[in-house]
Amino acid sequence: MAQQYSKVGSLMRIPRSHENAVTLYGPAFATDPAGAYRQIRESYGPVAPVLLEGDVPAWLVLGYREVRYVTSNPQLFARSSAKWNLWEQVPPDWPLAPIIMPNPSATFLDGPERQRRVAATNDSLDAIDRTDLTRACIRVADQVIDQFCGDGRADLLAQYAVPIPLLVMARICGIPQEESADVTRDMLLLGTATAEGAEAFGRAFGKIRELAAASRERPGRTLPHLLASHPAGLTDDEIAWELFGIVIAATGTSNWIGSALRLMLIDDQFSLALQGGRASVEAALNEVLWKDSPLQNAPGGRYATQDCDLGGWRIGKGDMIVLGLAAASADPAVRPERVDSVGANRAHLAFGHGEYACPYPAAEIAWVMARTVTEVLLDRIPDVELAVPAEDLEWRQSVWMRSLKALPVTFTPSVTVSRPGADLSG
Ligand code: HEM
């Protein structure tokens, strides 16, 4: 279907359907994303025309039912951004290009080739021993806490929640401990669209390639070896791209841990955990998945493979669909506003849905990691308190991630400990 265009917007021609579109960027999504999505839903219903950064048109799906419909129909809504109809119009320096551009990992493939690669990834993640994983999480958490426990103050985001998932993944991948801090630093830098970020990508991906190349000779329980010995017969290059995707995906756990710690520090309903009531750790983590979903909107999105109708709109072939995971989990159809507690209900969409969702064993690993390191922190620093009033805590200005800027705390200084932990290198 030929689109009609009028010349508005800073980077490109805006289709008529998007002339009154919502801008999906700006401060509203840092201060009150839930309020912003409520307003969009009230004005547009379950699907809204939106402009991404740079005024690039897309569709935001906010309805729970509609997100499940889109993610359950990969034939109609493909995951590969190669199918996007606007690639020729976005300039090479478009800020979202690095997260949307297809790479050689299975996420951007369809059909039997994807099935082969995904089977290897999912089976390998599933084969990671959960007891070893828990011990590795305890060991990493202890080592990280040792670095600040004598100070009596810390930023639990930058000094705890951010490095931990990468340090745990470094162990799962068999990266020697003395190299893991450098690899972690590079992985954190590579998301920045700077020369430094590009160099960090080169070093981090180089390390991952090295692991992939050595994976067949170095037996053990590490993820590279599990991938290499899978009957799917992955090449070294395929192992490297799957590992890279897995490690990047795991970083989402940082925001989850940070937001759950915040909740336990500010909300009486969850603060029991600080005195040893462990049920609250899981409850706080689950609450965050419903109300402060670490991945607010799935940045890769979906791409219509043909003209179709969705939520009362006519979607064009190749149009980009942004999955509004946070908005969908707050859809009054599944979470009426009068019901404040989510209890143990796990039907949120924080881990996505359908074929391209977070693989079940990955979400399980994320749960083990988040629960264990939160418990270790509370064991080690039981009198932890916020160092600033709760209302001074700020969120980063991102429509994609729900991420605190910092989580400053104070506590009674204590001594370092050393507990045994698994290194998973077999
Ligand atoms: C150890 C931690 C984690 C690992 C190893 C992991 C791994 C992955 C992988 C490999 C994919 C791509 C699936 C595919 O292409 O088929 C994925 C997708 C996804 N992950 Fe995770 N993940 C982790 C933690 C998380 C966390 C904490 C969240 C949020 C709470 C999350 C949310 C998602 C979502 C929403 C998708 C799907 C995006 C879409 O539908 O386009 N993941 N994850």
Side-chain angles (χ1 to χ4, degrees), residues 71 79 105-108 114 118 121-122 125 165 169 172 223 242 245-256 289 293-295 297-302 323 325 348-359 361-367 369-370:
T71 50
R79 172 67 181 82
S105 78
T107 298
F108 296 95
R114 168 171 163 84
V118 166
T121 299
N122 293 4
L125 287 170
M169 292 313 285
I172 290 178
L223 189 54
E242 292 319 309
I246 291 169
V247 174
I248 290 284
T251 58
T253 316
S254 297
N255 293 333
W256 187 16
L289 295 179
S293 179
L295 203 59
N297 296 297
R302 299 293 185 274
L323 301 175
L325 303 175
H348 56 76
L349 292 177
F351 287 111
H353 179 259
E355 179 174 340
Y356 291 87
C358 195
E364 209 182 43
I365 289 171
W367 262 106
M369 205 189 288

Side-chain angles (χ1 to χ4, degrees), residues 46-331:
V47 176
V50 292
L51 297 177
L52 307 181
E53 206 170 317
D55 290 345
V56 172
W59 299 96
L60 174 67
V61 187
L62 307 106
Y64 188 90
R65 219 174 43 152
E66 287 73 14
V67 167
R68 288 176 63 106
Y69 172 73
V70 168
T71 50
S72 302
N73 280 290
Q75 292 86 350
L76 189 52
F77 299 104
R79 172 67 181 82
S80 177
S81 55
K83 298 191 168 61
W84 191 23
N85 56 18
L86 291 180
W87 271 126
E88 285 180 9
Q89 289 188 50
V90 293
D93 59 349
W94 183 47
L96 296 180
I99 51 172
I100 289 178
M101 192 103 69
N103 69 35
S105 78
T107 298
F108 296 95
L109 296 174
D110 291 310
E113 188 48 19
R114 168 171 163 84
Q115 298 313 330
R116 180 180 73 89
R117 303 255 296 259
V118 166
T121 299
N122 293 4
D123 291 347
S124 303
L125 287 170
D126 203 27
I128 290 170
D129 184 283
R130 300 300 189 255
T131 307
D132 283 354
L133 172 68
T134 305
R135 289 169 61 207
C137 292
I138 294 174
R139 176 69 167 255
V140 166
D142 269 338
Q143 286 173 341
V144 175
I145 294 170
D146 281 350
Q147 290 170 17
F148 60 72
C149 65
D151 300 342
R153 55 176 53 246
D155 171 2
L156 288 185
L157 201 79
Q159 291 177 264
Y160 196 66
V162 167
I164 281 201
L166 283 168
L167 291 169
V168 172
M169 292 313 285
R171 274 179 179 258
I172 290 178
C173 290
I175 295 178
Q177 214 178 315
E178 59 280 10
E179 292 174 32
S180 62
D182 286 346
V183 177
T184 296
R185 211 172 6 260
D186 284 338
M187 292 299 289
L188 291 173
L189 271 176
L190 60 80
T192 57
T194 58
E196 206 188 6
E199 281 168 24
F201 172 81
R203 283 191 302 269
F205 199 71
K207 182 72 220 169
I208 284 172
R209 258 186 209 285
E210 237 176 68
L211 289 172
S215 58
R216 287 170 225 281
E217 291 97 65
R218 210 186 280 165
R221 291 165 290 162
T222 66
L223 189 54
H225 184 70
L226 290 167
L227 284 165
S229 47
H230 192 275
L234 265 53
T235 64
D236 287 0
D237 230 33
E238 289 170 343
I239 294 172
W241 278 107
E242 292 319 309
L243 275 178
F244 184 68
I246 291 169
V247 174
I248 290 284
T251 58
T253 316
S254 297
N255 293 333
W256 187 16
I257 297 166
S259 300
L261 286 170
R262 167 190 165 273
L263 198 59
M264 287 189 281
L265 289 163
I266 67 167
D267 188 332
D268 287 347
Q269 204 190 328
F270 301 99
S271 62
L272 243 193
L274 302 183
Q275 287 120 46
R278 287 295 172 255
S280 299
V281 173
E282 283 218 358
L285 287 165
N286 197 40
E287 183 91 357
V288 167
L289 295 179
W290 278 100
K291 296 185 182 172
D292 279 314
S293 179
L295 203 59
Q296 295 272 295
N297 296 297
R302 299 293 185 274
Y303 302 85
T305 57
Q306 60 187 66
D307 294 354
C308 59
D309 294 316
L310 184 67
W313 295 89
R314 189 70 181 156
I315 310 287
K317 180 178 177 182
D319 282 1
M320 184 197 287
I321 315 281
V322 175
L323 301 175
L325 303 175
S329 293
D331 186 340

Side-chain angles (χ1 to χ4, degrees), residues 24 29 32-42 60 62 296-297 324 326-327 330 398-400:
L24 203 59
F29 298 98
D32 180 19
Y37 295 127
R38 194 180 313 116
Q39 268 185 15
I40 301 174
R41 194 194 315 277
E42 277 165 14
L60 174 67
L62 307 106
Q296 295 272 295
N297 296 297
S398 164
V399 79
W400 310 106

Side-chain angles (χ1 to χ4, degrees), residues 155-158 386 392-396 403-408:
D155 171 2
L156 288 185
L157 201 79
L386 264 188
D392 288 0
L393 293 175
E394 288 182 72
W395 298 93
R396 282 189 196 287
S403 165
L404 284 170
K405 283 188 181 167
L407 190 57

